[in-house]
Amino acid sequence: MIELSRVTKVYQADGVAVHALREVDLHIAEGEFVALMGPSGSGKSTLLTILGAMNPPTTGRVVIDGIEPYNLPLERQADFRHEYVGFVFQQYHLIPYLTVLENVLLPLTIAQRPRQEKLHQAKAAIERVGLGGKENRLPSQLSGGEQARVTIARALVNQPPLLLLDEPTGNLDSTTGARVMELLVELNRAGQAVVMVTHNPETAACAGRIIRLRDGCIEGMTARAK
Amino acid sequence: MRLVDIAWNNLRRRRGKALLLVLGLAVGITTVVALQAITHTLRADVEVKLDEYGANILIVPRSNTLSLSYGGLTVSAAAYDVGELTERDVGLLWTIPFSRNLSIVAPKLLSAVEIADQTVLVAGVDFASELELKKWWRLEGRAPEADDEAVVGARVASLLGLDMGSLVQVGNGTFRIVAVLAENGTQDDDILFIDLDAARRVLGRPGSVSLIEVAALCSACPVEEIVKQIEAVLPQARVSALRQAVTLRMETVEQLSRFSLLLSGVVLFIGGLVVLTTMMGAVSERRQEIGLFRAIGFRGAHIVRIILTEAALLSVVGGLLGWLVGMAAAVLLAPGIARADIAVSWDPWLAVGAVGLALIVGLLASLYPAVRAARLDPTTALRSL
């Protein structure tokens, strides 16, 4: 499903070139659950954004589902993100003035579908993450775990083939974090491909494969026995 | 949920910024509306005064001979005795398409007459229309009621020693002076006014008319067009539109109007800058939100639409507010500043114009911030990544 070939990313910071990724080769299969681990500055988040068609690599080739998103014009890249990728951010980035339902509806706002179908999809996604009955609450009226679930519902509502998560349990206590991970495992079992950045070995243990990064290179991979 | 819902919800959340933007626009629109309403009122006031000033169209027989001055205008000397108009021509005036715009038609018969060894210009007039036409006339005495009564100009009265009750011989008729016209600095001071029909009789010129003065209501009618229409029905006559002092005042109003436009432009420009800086600030505050929109697949065009929708909503409010305050200011200020005698009219098109102008300024000033927002790199905007 995902193929990265010799992907390098160099950031320019105050005239100094910083190598975030160095010639990374990676293959992720359809329906796989991958955890990206590594110390800060190892390139995990950069890799995640490159997979999400948000951050073009300096060199190298990225192919997702047979498409090279970075060869598309900018507006078509946005369309690609809309269709192929669901993002869950560490800070959640929920829109504070929109309700749970409206936050989840957000990706569907620009979809050409009947209003009732959109509503049905959004409510189904909210039910799926266990937040049924809280559709009309504002993010500020939810716990951290609930906010994480809203973010996951928003990422799933458009049924993208790829779910990308950046430290999904980073701001949660261990119990709430464990529940969120249960949800992700459940989604993955239902066929959803998941790529997750985490520092937490317990969280990473939920994934089928753990990829360790250091200094922009893949240091090693561990596949969990099925 | 639609893009407009996102815009509306954001405005409700950021009320302070929204208010600042509305006020920035409203101040500009207020200035434009107030100045436009005042200059419009002044223009209307001048047009009303134009009507009050008396005749604005003069009809005389065509002639290329020597001329004498009458009423500050030039009429042909030969016109006293040849090429006269007739009473029938006066009737033809009411057949022109714009006849309903003719408020006063005052025909005159002019003739030089020897009175007490002096040559005096005698004018036969219809006193009813003449007094209506010349609202500035001040009669010492009373208006003539019988056809043997006369009004004498101040200089003629002084020269011939005429006063109220005096009798004066014109041709084969005798007229009693019932009023002396207070000196007003016009040719009227040198004229003896008698009844038109009596003049025709005593001078032996039945049905004759030397010239016709016409007052046309000009608030809504083009005088030049009326002139053309009169020329069409009276081809033997020379028809002139009079402008005089009112034109000068109209030019002053036009100058004020141009100045108003310039001032309005400057204030609107400043209003536009307020919108620009407020929108730039709003975009900067919403970087993460915009980054999220981009990350979940919103196109740049969607971001532009959200921001321009917000700008449009605020512009409509700013335009309406500006119109209301501007009209209120015009109503309060017009009588004092402009010394206009007529009331400011609540023109609905000015409201439409005010909202339209606010939309143009608001949208133009928001375009750059919107495009900048659309170009935000999602990764950089979200920061956390």
Side-chain angles (χ1 to χ4, degrees):
Chain A
M1 184 195 184
I2 300 174
E3 200 71 55
L4 267 65
S5 315
R6 302 173 67 85
V7 166
T8 296
K9 180 70 185 183
V10 182
Y11 292 111
Q12 293 294 330
D14 297 327
V16 180
V18 178
H19 280 75
L21 288 176
R22 297 169 192 267
E23 304 215 333
V24 170
D25 291 311
L26 178 65
H27 172 81
I28 297 171
E30 201 171 329
E32 200 178 353
F33 191 158
V34 175
L36 299 173
M37 292 192 77
S40 292
S42 60
K44 309 182 295 290
S45 292
T46 297
L47 182 55
L48 199 70
T49 55
I50 286 175
L51 292 175
M54 285 166 62
N55 192 9
T58 311
T59 58
R61 187 161 172 254
V62 179
V63 183
I64 301 170
D65 214 19
I67 300 167
E68 291 189 55
Y70 295 108
N71 282 351
L72 298 172
L74 275 178
E75 294 289 69
R76 291 284 299 124
Q77 280 183 34
D79 297 343
F80 178 86
R81 286 195 292 275
H82 186 247
E83 198 176 334
Y84 281 86
V85 185
F87 239 111
V88 174
F89 306 96
Q90 186 178 3
Q91 307 299 332
Y92 307 144
H93 291 303
L94 293 171
I95 306 294
Y97 53 84
L98 299 180
T99 63
V100 167
L101 180 63
E102 288 168 336
N103 265 290
V104 175
L105 270 170
L106 209 52
L108 298 178
T109 309
I110 53 171
Q112 300 293 323
R113 273 170 233 172
R115 190 170 169 271
Q116 282 306 320
E117 190 184 323
K118 290 181 187 178
L119 268 176
H120 176 74
Q121 270 184 269
K123 284 181 177 168
I126 291 169
E127 284 290 338
R128 201 171 175 191
V129 298
L131 284 177
K134 296 188 176 176
E135 289 88 349
N136 295 321
R137 298 219 183 151
L138 289 170
S140 57
Q141 296 166 327
L142 300 175
S143 69
E146 287 172 329
Q147 289 186 21
R149 283 165 184 271
V150 176
T151 317
I152 292 170
R154 183 179 65 194
L156 290 173
V157 72
N158 211 23
Q159 297 166 333
L162 179 62
L163 187 60
L164 302 174
L165 305 99
D166 189 24
E167 299 277 11
T169 60
N171 295 326
L172 304 176
D173 60 68
S174 55
T175 314
T176 317
R179 282 194 197 132
V180 168
M181 289 316 298
E182 277 171 26
L183 172 64
L184 291 176
V185 169
E186 193 186 310
L187 288 168
N188 176 242
R189 278 190 190 136
Q192 178 71 57
V194 180
V195 179
M196 170 183 72
V197 163
T198 183
H199 276 107
N200 187 335
E202 282 178 32
T203 305
C206 298
R209 182 161 52 131
I210 299 171
I211 298 172
R212 289 190 175 77
L213 290 148
R214 183 178 289 277
D215 298 332
C217 300
I218 293 178
E219 191 183 42
M221 291 190 202
T222 314
R224 193 177 54 156
K226 299 219 171 180
Chain B
M1 194 171 62
R2 299 157 302 167
L3 292 178
V4 68
D5 297 319
I6 297 173
W8 176 247
N9 279 308
N10 176 59
L11 290 180
R12 282 175 53 193
R13 180 189 172 217
R14 293 178 158 88
R15 286 184 186 151
K17 281 251 179 325
L19 186 68
L20 184 65
L21 200 144
V22 166
L23 287 179
L25 270 175
V27 168
I29 299 299
T30 295
T31 312
V32 176
V33 168
L35 288 173
Q36 285 304 310
I38 288 174
T39 48
H40 181 79
T41 306
L42 279 178
R43 197 174 285 124
D45 187 51
V46 168
E47 282 169 356
V48 167
K49 285 195 169 69
L50 186 70
D51 296 338
E52 286 176 359
Y53 264 60
N56 48 13
I57 296 172
L58 184 67
I59 306 165
V60 296
R62 278 192 191 283
S63 172
N64 294 321
T65 55
L66 295 171
S67 63
L68 286 175
S69 173
Y70 172 76
L73 294 148
T74 302
V75 294
S76 170
Y80 295 160
D81 300 309
V82 294
E84 289 173 341
L85 299 164
T86 65
E87 190 61 37
R88 184 179 161 275
D89 297 329
V90 177
L92 285 174
L93 288 181
W94 299 105
T95 65
I96 65 166
F98 271 133
S99 60
R100 62 189 170 81
N101 293 102
L102 304 178
S103 63
I104 304 165
V105 173
K108 290 176 184 57
L109 178 65
L110 299 176
S111 186
V113 175
E114 287 287 326
I115 302 173
D117 298 333
Q118 286 285 341
T119 302
V120 175
L121 187 59
V122 172
V125 298
D126 169 29
F127 278 109
S129 56
E130 199 69 13
L131 288 169
E132 194 184 350
L133 186 71
K134 296 179 173 172
K135 292 188 173 71
W136 61 91
W137 268 17
R138 293 287 171 268
L139 298 180
E140 292 163 9
R142 61 171 174 81
E145 288 161 2
D147 65 358
D148 62 347
E149 294 178 339
V151 172
V152 66
R155 275 167 50 80
V156 180
S158 163
L159 204 64
L160 302 180
L162 298 174
D163 206 345
M164 274 187 288
S166 304
L167 294 174
V168 64
Q169 185 74 28
V170 178
N172 55 11
T174 305
F175 295 84
R176 180 185 301 279
I177 307 292
V178 294
V180 177
L181 183 61
E183 190 162 352
N184 59 30
T186 68
Q187 187 80 39
D188 294 346
D189 294 340
D190 300 339
I191 296 175
L192 175 69
F193 294 91
I194 58 174
D195 177 73
L196 178 60
D197 289 333
R200 285 169 176 157
R201 194 172 58 242
V202 300
L203 297 171
R205 288 159 64 180
S208 282
V209 172
S210 302
L211 61 89
I212 308 166
E213 284 183 302
V214 176
L217 291 171
C218 292
S219 302
C221 68
V223 176
E224 283 74 13
E225 187 56 36
I226 293 180
V227 165
K228 279 185 193 162
Q229 291 178 2
I230 294 175
E231 280 173 340
V233 294
L234 302 178
Q236 77 281 23
R238 187 160 59 86
V239 188
S240 338
L242 312 184
R243 288 292 177 195
Q244 302 176 344
V246 181
T247 309
L248 284 175
R249 184 159 178 200
M250 191 59 113
E251 275 175 16
T252 311
V253 173
E254 292 306 325
Q255 280 176 351
L256 180 69
S257 177
R258 283 193 289 274
F259 174 72
S260 299
L261 273 180
L262 184 70
L263 190 65
S264 301
V266 171
V267 178
L268 270 182
F269 181 71
I270 294 168
L273 284 181
V274 171
V275 175
L276 178 71
T277 49
T278 310
M279 274 299 188
M280 288 297 281
V283 165
S284 182
E285 267 180 25
R286 294 167 69 187
R287 279 172 66 88
Q288 290 206 346
E289 188 180 314
I290 293 162
L292 172 80
F293 290 153
R294 295 290 280 146
I296 64 176
F298 278 43
R299 286 182 160 206
H302 293 127
I303 308 292
V304 169
R305 265 168 61 189
I306 290 172
I307 292 176
L308 291 188
T309 302
E310 290 177 17
L313 290 170
L314 295 176
S315 299
V316 169
V317 178
L320 283 174
L321 184 67
W323 174 70
L324 269 175
V325 179
M327 287 304 294
V331 168
L332 289 174
L333 298 177
I337 292 179
R339 303 208 180 285
D341 296 333
I342 62 171
V344 173
S345 63
W346 288 74
D347 182 2
W349 284 109
L350 195 56
V352 174
V355 173
L357 196 60
L359 271 171
I360 290 169
V361 173
L363 291 177
L364 278 180
S366 302
L367 199 56
Y368 175 65
V371 170
R372 261 183 70 119
R375 285 183 183 163
L376 270 179
D377 174 49
T379 319
T380 316
L382 286 168
R383 282 193 197 130
S384 64
L385 293 168

